[in-house]
Amino acid sequence: MTTNETETAALAARFPTGFTWGAATSSYQVEGSTGADGRGPSIWDAFVNEPGRVVDGSNGDTAIDSYRSIPEDVATIKALGLNAYRFSLSWPRICPDGSSRVNEAGLAYYSNLVDALLAEGITPWITLYHWDLPQALEDAGGWPVRATAERFGEFAQIAHAALGDRVKHWITVNEPWCSAFLGYASGEHAPGRREPAASIAAAHHLMLGHGLAARAIKAADPEATVSVGLNFYPIHAATDTPVDLDAARRIDGVQNRWFTDAALLGAYPEDIVEDFKAISDFAFVEDGDMEVINAPVDVLSVNYYSRFTVTGNGGATSASAAPTGAGSAWPANEHIGFVSSGLPVTDMGWEIDPGGLTEILTRLHAAYPGVDLAITENGSAFPDKIEDGEIHDPERQEYAQAHLAACADAVAAGVPLVGYFAWSLADNFEWAWGYTKRFGLVYVDFETGERTVKDSGRWYGDLVRRARTNREAE
Ligand code: FCB
């Protein structure tokens, strides 16, 4: 074996039997066919058509055509040797006007995808909401309005009734932080509203939707594995002055505690409630809401990319913000600045901190014992060039290798980590960044749709094969 192969084999051996090895995508980012077979409009269809919202002026009308590529996509997942695939359901493909009127053709697409995956021994992990709200529900007020959460609970029931005989892994909402604060505070994401107070109501209704969906799924199938997908970042204070330490407490509270405490402890963290009271009276929280939100969760889905260093003295805005978002994504915390800590960055400008992933996983396990953890997104954007039919992307491979080693460290420390999904299976539509950022293990020619496995994809496939073979031989 070469040194690289020895290293990969050693890493593979550090993961437990039965580990889930996957890759992830989301509906609007990959499907295309936005007008096909009765799909209704989503907030992203409207948003991308507003000038200046997407840096390259592009949209998801075609994306990478996954709606028409089930056989190719499943073959790619199989060729990589993965045993799981995380994808999301487009709510408006199934409920075109957001009501419980069902578009059977939309459901059929997901049913076919599930069957094709299962036929190859690939376990589907379904995300119910990865940001493509039916436009009709936005027209009625969107996530700041309670009824949206209720409609989401009904949608979960519809989706589960159609697919729950074959699908056992359900993630309710993906990154409600982004939906609430990029969608309704900074306006960087659809629907592009800049209403800080409303964004806090949106965050609550996203969690209420999570609770209603989780309860609906568990009622229909007590054996189902239910999860919520949250994005976590280690937060560092730029200095240890009181003002910077307070900034770190505030950002950490919103990013790492707000949603997790609500879902797993049934209460919002009190210090952050106090901070938000500067702009919200919390009149939208009704009796019983927190109990609904505190629904049983089997797996906490962790999305991890980077870390933040913050100062309470303003300064540079977040490196993660697209140039299109004019407002702040941090309601009641607009005085806080995000500064560089000097670490190397990806093509997103996101600092690379693999140790931070071990930190997050051990912290989550300590704070919320009794729930399994899965990495449902982790990956990096780097500019890729195709040369003689190959994509050499050593930086992406290094990023994956370092973060998987960080996962293995967490496992060694006793964290019940059950799976890892690379973001993303293939290059796709990266929201406000359009097609300018590539996260895939598989390169996509955006003109022709042609797919080519990158070196990082080959490496990941090799790791997964070794991990699965080790275990199967035991
Ligand atoms: C996450 C999103 C995912 C993708 C990655 C890069 O926040 O869930 O859709 O955009 O970032």
Side-chain angles (χ1 to χ4, degrees), residues 29 130-131 174-175 305 350 377 423 430-431 439:
Q29 293 181 277
H130 202 128
W131 307 352
N174 177 71
E175 300 188 2
Y305 291 94
W350 297 351
E377 286 183 28
W423 184 272
E430 179 49 35
W431 310 114
F439 275 92

Side-chain angles (χ1 to χ4, degrees), residues 80-279:
L80 290 172
L82 310 184
N83 61 11
Y85 178 50
R86 174 184 176 226
F87 60 95
S88 79
L89 305 184
S90 160
W91 185 355
R93 206 180 273 297
I94 295 175
C95 303
D97 60 10
S99 75
S100 45
R101 182 179 69 78
V102 173
N103 174 35
E104 293 297 337
L107 268 179
Y109 163 64
Y110 296 109
S111 185
N112 293 337
L113 175 56
V114 164
D115 286 344
L117 291 166
L118 291 174
E120 296 296 354
I122 301 160
T123 304
W125 282 48
I126 285 184
T127 308
L128 285 165
Y129 187 71
H130 202 128
W131 307 352
D132 43 359
L133 184 71
Q135 181 61 39
L137 294 182
E138 177 55 32
D139 293 343
W143 283 111
V145 166
R146 187 176 185 86
T148 302
E150 289 160 358
R151 296 295 82 73
F152 183 65
E154 293 162 9
F155 166 59
Q157 235 170 325
I158 290 165
H160 187 271
L163 305 169
D165 57 333
R166 288 154 289 158
V167 178
K168 298 297 162 190
H169 293 85
W170 296 86
I171 299 169
T172 54
V173 294
N174 177 71
E175 300 188 2
W177 182 88
C178 294
S179 288
F181 299 122
L182 301 181
Y184 293 92
S186 76
E188 175 184 340
H189 282 180
R193 285 162 60 180
R194 295 186 181 135
E195 300 166 38
S199 73
I200 297 172
H204 179 70
H205 294 135
L206 280 150
M207 290 314 286
L208 187 62
H210 152 72
L212 291 168
R215 286 176 187 282
I217 291 166
K218 279 290 191 190
D221 179 4
E223 301 301 311
T225 296
V226 169
S227 185
V228 58
L230 304 175
N231 48 329
F232 296 98
Y233 300 78
I235 308 296
H236 299 264
T239 69
D240 47 16
T241 56
V243 70
D244 287 355
L245 291 170
D246 187 61
R249 176 194 63 75
R250 285 166 168 266
I251 300 301
D252 180 71
V254 176
Q255 190 80 69
N256 297 324
R257 294 187 278 129
W258 187 255
F259 300 97
T260 330
D261 277 12
L264 300 176
L265 306 179
Y268 290 122
E270 276 171 27
D271 60 322
I272 306 304
V273 172
E274 284 309 310
D275 296 344
F276 279 158
K277 275 189 182 159
I279 57 164

